[in-house]
Amino acid sequence: MNTISKEILREMYKRMNEARAFEEKVSYFFARGMVHGTTHLSIGQEASAIAACMALNDDDLMTSTHRGHSQVIGKGIDLNKMVAELLGKYTGYCKGKGGSMHIADVEVGNLGANGVVGGGHGIAVGAALTQKMKNTGKIVLCFFGDGAANEGSFHEALNLASVWKLPVIFYCENNQYGMSVPIDKTMNIENVADRASAYGIPGYIIDGNNAIEVYTKMKEIAKYVRGGNGPVLVESKTYRWLGHSKSDAQVYRTKEEVETWKKKCPIQQLRKYIIENNVMDARELDEIENNARKAIEDAVIFANNSPNPPIESVTEDVYA
Amino acid sequence: MNTISKEILREMYKRMNEARAFEEKVSYFFARGMVHGTTHLSIGQEASAIAACMALNDDDLMTSTHRGHSQVIGKGIDLNKMVAELLGKYTGYCKGKGGSMHIADVEVGNLGANGVVGGGHGIAVGAALTQKMKNTGKIVLCFFGDGAANEGSFHEALNLASVWKLPVIFYCENNQYGMSVPIDKTMNIENVADRASAYGIPGYIIDGNNAIEVYTKMKEIAKYVRGGNGPVLVESKTYRWLGHSKSDAQVYRTKEEVETWKKKCPIQQLRKYIIENNVMDARELDEIENNARKAIEDAVIFANNSPNPPIESVTEDVYA
Amino acid sequence: MREMTYKEAINLAMREEMRRDPDVFLMGEDVGIYGGAFGVSVGLIEEFGEERVRDTPISEAIITGAAAGAAVTGMRPIVEIMFMDFTTLAMDALVNQAAKMRYMFGGKAKVPMTLRCAGGSGTGAAAQHSQSLEAWFCHIPGLKVVVPGTPKDAKGLLKAAIRDDNPVVFVEQKTLYKEKGMVPEEDDFIIPLGVGEIKKEGKDVTVVSYGRMLPRVLKVAEELEREGISVEVVDPRTLVPLDKEIIINSVIKTGRAVLVNEACKTGGYLGEIASVIVESEAFDYLDAPIVRLAGLDVPIPYNPELEKAVVPSEEQIRAGILKVLNR
Amino acid sequence: MREMTYKEAINLAMREEMRRDPDVFLMGEDVGIYGGAFGVSVGLIEEFGEERVRDTPISEAIITGAAAGAAVTGMRPIVEIMFMDFTTLAMDALVNQAAKMRYMFGGKAKVPMTLRCAGGSGTGAAAQHSQSLEAWFCHIPGLKVVVPGTPKDAKGLLKAAIRDDNPVVFVEQKTLYKEKGMVPEEDDFIIPLGVGEIKKEGKDVTVVSYGRMLPRVLKVAEELEREGISVEVVDPRTLVPLDKEIIINSVIKTGRAVLVNEACKTGGYLGEIASVIVESEAFDYLDAPIVRLAGLDVPIPYNPELEKAVVPSEEQIRAGILKVLNR
Ligand SMILES: Cc1ncc(C[n+]2csc(CCOP(=O)(O)OP(=O)(O)O)c2C)c(N)n1
Ligand SMILES: Cc1ncc(C[n+]2csc(CCOP(=O)(O)OP(=O)(O)O)c2C)c(N)n1
Ligand SMILES: [Mg+2]
Ligand SMILES: [Mg+2]
């Protein structure tokens, strides 16, 4: 466990705090009607997303989801461009055309968030096929939710990747609900990971609120996948603290349930671990937190000062 | 084992021979270009299809496949209308509009063959939902192939049926190939039935060339499903003797492999069982066989004497 | 008659039909306690219970296929596909199965199902949550296609759709959900499928439009009226079957036609409507080329200004009408 | 130049492109040793091996999605979907993912994939194996759509499609697979997407047609020629981008237009072509209403006589042309 370097832990703590600060800001924007569209926040799931990304190499690839802010921050991202995209600015990752649900940075291997539940499965499989055919040694991290595990694309993707032995980690963030519907109403089994056996691949269950566990296990798993052994299915158990999207009265779950999970805050857990293991002290961590918040404020200023896309751009980039 | 009545065995042997004779006739027609379109023959799979159907009640429902001749004969069908449909006649089950791939008889619970691999999954689930909501006590038998088990619809169907506890038997006729591709190139597991665990439902493997086994096990399984316990996945191991469809040079498999399986002829096996158990003697069985062949010849005469659909009918029955 | 929103009208139509006929039920993602992503089914689970208001897993293909299977065996399912964009996942079930079963089986089956979905842009939901794909369904024999533009039409047409013995694709318009209008409350208020309506009479020019664009067109038409230009606004309401007569007669009367919808122009249903006009006797009455005003041929962008620029604006509709009048 | 079949021309195009560019590969059901359901890829696995000619499980959605994913990361996949009808299973991957990625990501991605599929009726394969759904794809910005009508076009256009940096839907015509024609053998013979061709010059009437109907139209045109009626036959070859100019110029020249395709009439692409004509300056040159000759609005029936009755026959094409000429 102590093998995680201070550098990594610092970066992990930083990214998790950035994600939290980013989403709190987004939530604030939405509450005040300052952004249009909708958004899906992952507060509570930061360890699950960020530690998983960080266990991979920088040049590995990933597909992200509608609930993808932590995922792409985990991959390493320019916060200015991200906030700018959220605000629909021309300086954003997608020149203002994508918004919260489509943050992508293909050049660095972020193949995009996806508005379609399960929409990333095929893209991840194809990206993994490229890595295999070009023998790049890179692997692909495919994020999806518990709800997405009931889409046909899940099945077809795991099957194809398994017969072709493609280097992809199917990473299910099981936050217990698909929108309003709890997992026990949409699946007749205990764990999403149990589905791995249907494809003859390993399945793993990890505590998605424990960044150390996520990172450590994902390191091993990534090694296995990089070794040419084919895909794996990982289930990261976690929970979203906020509603599904901006307009969710959350009548489908109890306040108590939410409170229980808030006690397992992934950021607080990591903080505790870092302090208890004498990696950094509270002051250092506070500074990281403050910097994270500051980084978001700076990004907001950058975005606010950025131009809107010119109207002519509406017809640009349909075709290459 | 001896609990199967003579009546049932006689009917089973009859239907299996009718299916064989029917398909040999179809094969003959195609070889001579006397029918248009294509067809998928199930010679070698008669026990798998017919004994399964016969284990259910007459008023239970079924969905069939592109390789569905034995399946619908198993369900009990008017051979005249069936041959007429194959020949595109107005007296056929579908008034000549469906052909080999769309034989249906909704009134008696045959919800149709299907040209789309996996296309019957949804229909079967919906039919089972009707039975549950209307509390009819009927169950649904959903036929599909090993290849179809890789379609997304397989996954979504088994999942939905399992969470809603619907009375449907997902019955996979694993004949080792999806068209030219052997199952070990399309699935990374040994048995299709192993996928049952992904839905928390029972999976069964049966010897699809052994009518007695199919019938006996399916009787039990039908009872379980009728009992309100939800769906099951059954894998019936079998083999198709002929090519995939009319134009198949079969370069993907060896003659030896085919010969091995021909030795496990389901009709011969049933014949042997009947004789050894003194249920009927060879003469009786020969008579059934001859009658079966005669029934097909009669059906061909019926069909040949039937009118083609009037051209005006081309625009009929698009809407109810 | 009572004033209610488009959304409430749809809710009421489902409620009435479910009360009337025990075979009618609703299934879809989050249609239960959540009331659907847009709140259209709010309250139904409380009245009809979990058996008849069924939350499903996220499995569009099988929900739609199961609707076909339930319909062909005696139920009258309503399926909600949350966004029209996700019908892409259900096309085999809808197009190859539901639409064709009756014909393939020689008329010996009926498939009384209604697929509801929310179409259109304007909510900032970007490229994968904003499409208007009605033209696809119109191209498939066996399907009927409805796009209501007012609360009243929404109620009357949905009831007709549910009672219809064929698969009906019922396209709701996200941006109209909160629009209000007077809606008959009688249980037997039905608007038959295939009957258009003249939403405003006029004599100088015919504008054919439906769905979300309708209020926009009507607003422009009223402005122009005050300026002395008499615009007739024809709403086909159902795209399949299409009330050709009402369109053709109007164009014969006015001699000019502007067609307005939100969907991408290329390959959209306006091409069909234009062709119906030019193939008919109305061709000889046309005093000017037909003008199609449709969405730009681009995916829907996120930025609100770009998003607005994609669909015909009031100014563009006005300009289109003036153009066809050579003014 | 060498005489070869349409099927061989497609095979050759793939072979040449795979030789030229190691990033090009083929995947699909039974494309390997079986050579594809129609034998189009025969011999490719022998030359290029299992890595580049990939038999897939029966999983249309993921094959298509994987093509998008492979394309966006640097490969140039060709996907074969056995029958066009089964693209219904791949619409999310094609329409919501492949077609939109570039735009959604602000131009920072390209998706050079080609989806080949076999369209059309005429083989006795009935309702679920015979559709002509090209209009669907034409309605989706981000996709290009090609329907070659001759072996030469098939080769030149497929090579262009493979080299194109966008997703291209390449619709092969089952009933043309065995048609023969002269085909350039040069490796650099490319027909650019978006460029139509006048397949026969004429001056009395323009017939716009593509794909399977083309040989039929040409046959009728030649017959009429002998009877003194000069028919110009325009083949757009690619439906998106559409060579509007070649169509409009021809109609301006002849003043009359007949449009012929096999797809169902309602909501089909002929509506688009008709609209393009009437919206253009050609409108003023039109001496008669445009005539659309398309498939009946029915699923494809099995019986051979019924099946034939669904698509425009030579007699109907002839009658349509004479009608537009008022003869
Ligand atoms: C194909 C599709 N169906 C439905 C939706 C609407 N939708 C968006 S997110 C969501 C729930 C997804 O649940 P899960 O996969 O568990 O992810 P989570 O939101 O919990 O992170 C739904 C139903 C969608 N975007 N795409
Ligand atoms: C969705 C779809 N994809 C492809 C096909 C073409 N096809 C017809 S049968 C078949 C093989 C099916 O294999 P399996 O499910 O094992 O059934 P079998 O033919 O062996 O009985 C294929 C690929 C189809 N009909 N439908
Ligand atoms: Mg979830
Ligand atoms: Mg098989």
Side-chain angles (χ1 to χ4, degrees), chain C residues 209-269:
Chain C
S209 188
Y210 61 86
R212 175 180 174 204
M213 289 294 113
L214 203 59
R216 243 173 240 205
V217 165
L218 283 167
K219 191 160 164 237
V220 173
E222 261 132 43
E223 280 169 26
L224 288 172
E225 192 77 37
R226 288 192 288 276
E227 300 171 26
I229 296 171
S230 171
V231 182
E232 178 143 303
V233 180
V234 180
D235 175 9
R237 302 196 289 203
T238 34
L239 303 184
V240 174
L242 181 68
D243 187 344
K244 298 182 183 179
E245 225 178 279
I246 200 171
I247 296 170
I248 291 169
N249 287 340
S250 177
V251 176
I252 288 178
K253 183 169 80 174
T254 64
R256 293 165 201 273
V258 177
L259 316 179
V260 188
N261 81 0
E262 167 176 5
C264 294
K265 185 172 186 178
T266 297
Y269 202 62

Side-chain angles (χ1 to χ4, degrees), chain C residues 9-296:
Chain C
I10 295 168
N11 181 287
L12 183 58
M14 289 196 283
R15 202 181 285 269
E16 287 178 1
E17 293 306 299
M18 287 178 74
R19 282 181 190 153
R20 192 184 55 83
D21 183 349
D23 290 341
V24 178
F25 69 101
L26 172 67
M27 60 180 163
E29 294 155 16
D30 306 283
V31 296
I33 188 168
Y34 198 96
F38 298 96
V40 176
S41 54
V42 160
L44 295 185
I45 196 167
E46 284 79 1
E47 176 165 354
F48 301 102
E50 289 193 355
E51 268 290 300
R52 293 182 68 200
V53 179
R54 295 185 160 259
D55 275 330
T56 66
I58 311 178
S59 307
E60 287 77 8
I62 220 63
I63 305 170
T64 307
V72 81
T73 50
M75 303 296 289
R76 305 189 83 85
I78 308 169
V79 165
E80 177 178 304
I81 299 291
M82 207 179 275
F83 287 78
M84 188 168 205
D85 312 71
F86 310 149
T87 59
T88 48
L89 292 157
M91 293 303 274
D92 172 62
L94 191 61
V95 167
N96 289 336
Q97 313 298 337
K100 294 182 172 44
M101 251 191 257
R102 180 173 182 77
Y103 190 85
M104 286 190 305
F105 299 169
K108 289 180 204 139
K110 44 183 202 179
V111 187
M113 63 180 271
T114 303
L115 185 147
R116 296 176 38 240
C117 60
S121 65
T123 66
Q128 294 174 332
H129 285 75
S130 304
Q131 288 167 93
S132 298
L133 300 170
E134 61 271 15
W136 282 4
F137 306 105
C138 295
H139 193 38
I140 303 302
L143 298 181
K144 297 187 176 180
V145 183
V146 181
V147 191
T150 68
K152 180 178 158 187
D153 289 348
K155 185 182 174 206
L157 291 165
L158 181 53
K159 287 171 66 95
I162 294 169
R163 295 187 193 186
D164 199 279
D165 276 340
N166 299 285
V168 180
V169 179
F170 189 86
V171 186
E172 302 170 8
Q173 305 282 278
K174 274 177 229 136
T175 45
L176 296 185
Y177 275 137
K178 291 179 185 161
E179 291 289 313
K180 285 185 182 160
M182 295 304 292
V183 177
E185 287 189 282
E186 302 81 73
D187 191 66
D188 56 356
F189 167 67
I190 298 276
I191 298 176
L193 306 186
V195 179
E197 185 178 59
I198 304 216
K199 284 284 194 294
K200 177 187 166 306
E201 300 218 20
K203 56 185 178 26
D204 296 334
V205 52
T206 298
V207 181
V208 182
S209 188
Y210 61 86
R212 175 180 174 204
M213 289 294 113
L214 203 59
R216 243 173 240 205
V217 165
L218 283 167
K219 191 160 164 237
V220 173
E222 261 132 43
E223 280 169 26
L224 288 172
E225 192 77 37
R226 288 192 288 276
E227 300 171 26
I229 296 171
S230 171
V231 182
E232 178 143 303
V233 180
V234 180
D235 175 9
R237 302 196 289 203
T238 34
L239 303 184
V240 174
L242 181 68
D243 187 344
K244 298 182 183 179
E245 225 178 279
I246 200 171
I247 296 170
I248 291 169
N249 287 340
S250 177
V251 176
I252 288 178
K253 183 169 80 174
T254 64
R256 293 165 201 273
V258 177
L259 316 179
V260 188
N261 81 0
E262 167 176 5
C264 294
K265 185 172 186 178
T266 297
Y269 202 62
L270 297 188
E272 180 63 31
I273 298 177
S275 299
V276 163
I277 295 171
V278 297
E279 279 172 345
S280 76
E281 63 268 39
F283 178 78
D284 292 326
Y285 293 82
L286 276 179
D287 295 323
I290 295 173
V291 168
R292 283 188 298 168
L293 298 175
L296 296 178

Side-chain angles (χ1 to χ4, degrees), chain B residues 66-67 115-117 145-148 151 175 177-179 244, chain D residues 29-30 58 60 82 86 89 129:
Chain B
H66 61 285
R67 198 174 305 288
V116 179
V117 168
D146 48 293
E151 285 281 10
N175 62 6
Y177 291 87
M179 210 157 150
H244 165 74
Chain D
E29 294 155 16
D30 306 282
I58 311 178
E60 287 77 9
M82 207 179 274
F86 310 149
L89 292 157
H129 285 75

Side-chain angles (χ1 to χ4, degrees), chain A residues 61 81 85 92-95 97-99 102-107 110-114 116 118-127 129-134 153-154 156-157 159-160 163-164 166 313-320, chain D residues 22-25 27 51-52 54-63 65-75 89 92 96-97 99 101-111 140-144 164-167 240-241:
Chain A
L61 298 94
K81 291 191 193 177
E85 188 55 40
Y93 268 108
C94 313
K95 295 190 193 159
K97 281 178 175 159
H102 303 295
I103 306 279
D105 193 2
V106 174
E107 263 165 53
N110 169 6
L111 302 178
N114 213 307
V116 179
H121 287 126
I123 296 166
V125 167
L129 179 57
T130 299
Q131 307 322 310
K132 184 164 190 186
M133 289 181 79
K134 291 193 183 259
S153 59
F154 166 89
E156 296 189 10
N159 187 55
L160 186 65
V163 287
W164 286 359
L166 300 180
S313 72
V314 73
T315 52
E316 286 168 14
D317 291 328
V318 178
Y319 291 97
Chain D
D23 291 340
V24 177
F25 70 101
M27 59 179 164
E51 268 290 301
R52 291 182 68 200
R54 295 185 160 257
D55 275 330
T56 66
I58 311 178
S59 309
E60 287 77 9
I62 221 63
I63 306 170
V72 80
T73 51
M75 303 297 288
L89 292 157
D92 172 61
N96 289 336
Q97 313 298 336
M101 252 191 256
R102 180 174 182 77
Y103 190 85
M104 286 191 305
F105 300 169
K108 289 180 205 139
K110 44 183 204 180
V111 186
I140 303 301
L143 298 180
K144 297 187 177 181
D164 198 280
D165 276 340
N166 300 286
V240 174

Side-chain angles (χ1 to χ4, degrees), chain A residues 6-14 280 284 288:
Chain A
K6 176 174 169 180
E7 210 170 54
I8 295 279
L9 287 171
R10 167 193 290 283
E11 189 61 29
M12 198 181 282
Y13 194 70
K14 170 172 167 261
M280 286 179 274
E284 263 180 292
I288 294 174

Side-chain angles (χ1 to χ4, degrees), chain D residues 144-147 156-157 160-161 164 168 190-197 235-247:
Chain D
K144 297 187 177 181
V145 182
V146 182
V147 191
L157 291 165
D164 198 280
V168 180
I190 297 277
I191 298 176
L193 305 186
V195 180
E197 186 178 57
D235 175 9
R237 302 197 289 203
T238 35
L239 303 184
V240 174
L242 181 68
D243 187 344
K244 297 182 184 180
E245 226 179 277
I246 200 171
I247 296 170

